[in-house]
Amino acid sequence: MARMIALVPAAGTGSRFGAPSPKQYLQLNGKPLMWHTLAALAATPGVDEVAVVISPQDEWFDDFDWDLPKLSVHRVGGSCRAESVANGLGALACEAEDWVLVHDAARCCVPVAAVERLIAALAGHEVGGLLALPVPDTVKRADADGQVAVTVPRKGLWLAQTPQMFRAGLLAKALLGMAAEDITDEASAIERLGLKPLLVEGDAQNFKVTYPRDLALARAILAAREER
Ligand code: C5P
């Protein structure tokens, strides 16, 4: 039977965040930010393994007792996200038919229910798919001077989230031989093969912690869940 493997690329330095340690290791409600991410994936029924990909030069991971079921660690991170994912796939002993759910380390508030929704929606699907949200706001494209060049009709536009779920064999093929720096998510690599990933309704709580100002919201969401 096909296994369900959550793969978390966590080899980034978080340069936009500007903290001394990568953002995935910042303290959030008493634990590293990424602990919350890994815990949500481990708590998802149906996920067999949670594989985290860190940099070979990582100095922070071993400082914490992660104490999570299903967790495996792979020190094979690459120079960009796509390379970290491809290296992770290589390090995992998975079959081509196994499902891989690639999830950003910095999406630490991902609700278990959203991951379950993705898994359920893709059962038997030919290609795979991703969590995403319809764009709620009016969208503007800027010119070089920061002025509005054009208003882009938002109908049919979605914001891609993670997990992005594909068969291991298809994903490895899609990532192979691509200009990896151009690939900011797995779905776009699959699209370049001429395939159409399924969009599955995500969750506003599943945002990516990108800037220091995002931490307050993440803290509040996680604290509210603990109080329940
Ligand atoms: O930079 P960005 O936020 O888009 O990164 C998305 C995810 O990819 C993060 O979890 C980050 O740690 C990971 N990443 C990686 N290897 C890199 C760059 C980013 O695993 N070289």
Side-chain angles (χ1 to χ4, degrees):
M1 203 176 124
R3 300 181 73 226
M4 193 75 70
I5 303 165
L7 176 61
V8 179
T13 54
S15 52
R16 282 174 293 180
F17 201 92
S21 61
K23 63 186 173 187
Q24 55 270 31
Y25 294 117
L26 290 176
Q27 284 292 303
L28 196 59
N29 299 15
K31 303 243 168 51
L33 184 150
M34 183 167 67
W35 183 90
H36 301 281
T37 313
L38 301 174
L41 295 168
T44 305
V47 168
D48 298 305
E49 179 175 349
V50 180
V52 62
V53 175
I54 60 174
S55 163
Q57 285 86 37
D58 186 295
E59 299 165 16
W60 298 274
F61 190 88
D62 291 339
D63 288 346
F64 187 75
D65 177 11
W66 296 81
D67 192 24
L68 286 168
K70 309 180 187 176
L71 188 64
S72 66
V73 188
H74 307 270
R75 296 171 189 274
V76 294
S79 60
C80 62
R81 176 211 169 95
E83 206 175 293
S84 295
V85 172
N87 292 353
L89 284 174
L92 281 163
C94 50
E95 303 288 330
E97 288 304 298
D98 288 341
W99 286 105
V100 178
L101 293 90
V102 182
H103 184 64
D104 291 329
R107 291 185 193 269
C108 54
C109 299
V110 59
V112 169
V115 185
E116 289 187 287
R117 190 157 62 239
L118 179 72
I119 292 172
L122 292 175
H125 196 271
E126 286 286 305
V127 177
L130 63 149
L131 290 182
L133 280 181
V135 172
D137 299 318
T138 302
V139 179
K140 310 286 187 188
R141 187 184 302 283
D143 65 14
D145 301 318
Q147 301 167 144
V148 175
V150 66
T151 296
V152 182
R154 69 177 172 215
K155 193 165 184 289
L157 290 186
W158 291 64
L159 295 167
Q161 300 186 333
T162 68
Q164 304 204 350
M165 176 172 156
F166 299 100
R167 301 271 186 191
L170 178 63
L171 185 56
K173 180 178 156 198
L175 293 174
L176 199 76
M178 298 268 180
E181 292 78 19
D182 300 348
I183 301 172
T184 52
D185 74 346
E186 290 60 49
S188 51
I190 300 286
E191 291 154 41
R192 288 192 204 186
L193 297 178
L195 300 170
K196 293 187 171 181
L198 185 69
L199 292 159
V200 177
E201 179 108 16
D203 193 301
Q205 292 188 358
N206 185 23
F207 68 96
K208 182 161 67 172
V209 173
T210 307
Y211 302 106
R213 61 175 180 263
D214 301 330
L215 282 175
L217 180 57
R219 277 201 183 97
I221 290 171
L222 295 170
R225 284 187 198 159
E226 275 165 25
E227 278 166 20
R228 262 191 250 143

